Amino acid sequence: MTRLMVLLAGVAVLSILAAVTLIGLARDDGPGSPAAINIDGADLGGPFELTSHTENRVSSAEVTDTPALIYFGYTFCPDVCPVDAQVMADAVDLLAAEGVEVTPVFVTVDPARDTPRALGQFVQAMHPRMVGLTGSEDDIKAAASAYKVYYARAGDADDPNYLMNHSAFIYLMTPDGLAALFRRGATPEEIADEAERVLG
Ligand code: NI
């Protein structure tokens, strides 16, 4: 072999190795759906204790003893939260049709207005198995902090019809912790496909 041929052969081998590495990365590291966020190294989720819409104190271990889709929002939200809760409910139905049981969970970031009763009406309108969770201001602060959820009351402090600003991700949790994270705009089909992939 000439020196040039050796060089070209070396470049070819390196190119193949690079391509194989890239294919491997794409397959092993990234989420399967563009609607899902890469959670490698993400430290999201943690212990909490909250009050369910049926007025029982529940721990995070009880809430995620089967896989759960968890969303933080509030029932007075004019548009975002009802849409996202419906997306979560539809994803749960798609998964159930495939034999995968996932519990939809709606945690309020507005415990002052979201009493168990108010939450109960909201979650029962969304899905028969949806669990609503509320608690004291400190309970909610602890749960939101564990999930790195941002929330803040917006507008005039005296306005009883205030809005809340809040982050709007859907977390797929299992007894082992975070299994997938979905950005706003993910469709029920995308969520169900990715959930089935990571749970299967
Ligand atoms: Ni909202």
Side-chain angles (χ1 to χ4, degrees), residues 71 73-74 77 80-81 164 166:
Y71 181 86
Y74 68 115
C77 186
V80 172
C81 292
M164 301 290 294
H166 64 96

Side-chain angles (χ1 to χ4, degrees), residues 4-22:
L4 179 62
M5 280 172 71
V6 170
L7 189 67
L8 287 176
V11 168
V13 168
L14 285 177
S15 302
I16 291 165
L17 281 177
V20 167
T21 305
L22 283 175

Side-chain angles (χ1 to χ4, degrees), residues 63-64 66-71 87-93 95 102-107 130-131 169-173 180 182 188 191-192 195:
V63 171
T64 62
T66 58
L69 285 172
I70 302 184
Y71 181 86
V87 165
M88 197 161 65
D90 291 347
V92 164
D93 283 340
L95 284 161
V102 174
T103 305
V105 179
F106 187 93
V107 185
M130 191 176 287
V131 176
F169 294 102
I170 294 176
Y171 304 75
L172 175 63
M173 304 302 293
F182 300 96
I191 293 170

